[in-house]
């Protein structure tokens, strides 16, 4: 099937949802990242900005050139992209990312990593002596240990 024949002009969200079983195999969708790569090579990702939800396209310029080389006009390429965006939105809604509850140990590991980053930045950009940095590191470690002992409180 040629790319031109693949373009579907969905009239409603319901049409996109009804077509889900047909096109879902054309996508490699990552639930955790809320991103997907279509068989044609373009990637879409759900991103949040201060003013709301947006779509991020990955590899768009290369994809557009590939579509041109496959014989699509600019209007057909825009229609294809619109179709893929609609498919991605439905795929995202049908495969929601569920935040899992972190264990206390997982939370401590994240805090540990953040503390290490904080200490590295303090070492690079502030005028702390090694003795002061060691004291700060000891206080951060004691805080993590108290958190572990208190069960996360």
């Amino acid at each position: 099937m040629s790319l031109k024949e693949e373009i579907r002009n969905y009239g409603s969200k319901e049409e996109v949802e009804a077509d889900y079983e047909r096109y879902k195999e054309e996508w490699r969708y990552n639930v955790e990242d809320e991103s997907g790569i279509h068989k044609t090579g373009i990637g879409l990702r759900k991103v949040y900005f201060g003013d709301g939800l947006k779509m991020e396209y990955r590899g768009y310029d290369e994809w557009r050139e590939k579509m041109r080389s496959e014989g699509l006009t600019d209007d057909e390429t825009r229609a294809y992209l619109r179709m893929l965006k609609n498919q991605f939105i439905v795929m995202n809604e049908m495969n929601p990312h569920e935040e899992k509850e972190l264990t206390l140990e997982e939370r401590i590991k994240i805090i540990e990593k953040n503390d290490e980053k904080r200490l590295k930045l303090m070492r690079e950009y502030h005028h702390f002596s090694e003795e002061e940095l060691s004291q700060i590191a000891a206080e951060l470690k004691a805080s993590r240990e108290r958190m572990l002992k208190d069960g996360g409180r």
Side-chain angles (χ1 to χ4, degrees):
M1 178 185 297
S2 76
L3 288 177
K4 288 181 184 190
E5 294 171 315
E6 290 184 20
I7 299 172
R8 287 185 166 50
N9 292 308
Y10 298 114
S12 67
K13 183 177 179 183
E14 289 75 23
E15 287 182 27
V16 184
E17 290 171 345
D19 198 29
Y20 178 72
E21 290 301 318
R22 184 199 59 78
Y23 66 75
K24 74 178 184 179
E25 299 302 320
E26 297 174 353
W27 287 88
R28 282 184 316 189
Y29 185 73
N30 183 320
V31 173
E32 192 172 304
D33 290 343
E34 296 183 298
S35 66
I37 299 175
H38 188 258
K39 69 177 184 176
T40 58
I42 192 162
L44 279 85
R45 188 175 132 221
K46 188 174 166 181
V47 292
Y48 298 93
F49 289 104
D51 59 345
L53 177 65
K54 304 281 185 201
M55 284 301 145
E56 176 182 84
Y57 298 97
R58 293 182 178 164
Y60 173 75
D61 291 335
E62 297 85 2
W63 179 82
R64 185 184 63 215
E65 288 307 312
K66 180 180 175 184
M67 296 302 102
R68 285 181 179 160
S69 71
E70 295 282 336
L72 293 185
T73 66
D74 287 344
D75 286 341
E76 290 167 334
T77 300
R78 282 190 292 276
Y80 202 159
L81 186 62
R82 188 171 42 255
M83 176 194 79
L84 295 177
K85 180 180 176 184
N86 288 332
Q87 289 178 355
F88 177 79
I89 290 168
V90 167
M91 187 167 303
N92 182 263
E93 289 173 357
M94 295 182 91
N95 300 283
H97 173 66
E98 295 177 22
E99 291 289 328
K100 77 170 195 159
E101 185 70 31
L102 296 176
T103 65
L104 179 58
E105 289 76 18
E106 289 170 327
R107 289 179 24 223
I108 295 287
K109 288 268 187 230
I110 291 169
I111 292 169
E112 234 171 44
K113 281 185 178 181
N114 288 336
D115 288 349
E116 288 172 15
K117 288 178 187 176
R118 185 177 301 125
L119 287 167
K120 182 180 178 194
L121 290 171
M122 291 171 102
R123 181 171 282 111
E124 290 178 12
Y125 298 107
H126 298 285
H127 301 287
F128 289 102
S129 68
E130 283 303 314
E131 184 179 314
E132 290 170 314
L133 288 170
S134 292
Q135 179 62 34
I136 292 168
E139 290 170 5
L140 290 170
K141 182 178 180 183
S143 175
R144 289 191 309 271
E145 288 172 356
R146 276 192 308 276
M147 184 179 181
L148 191 57
K149 181 180 166 190
D150 295 340
R153 293 177 290 249

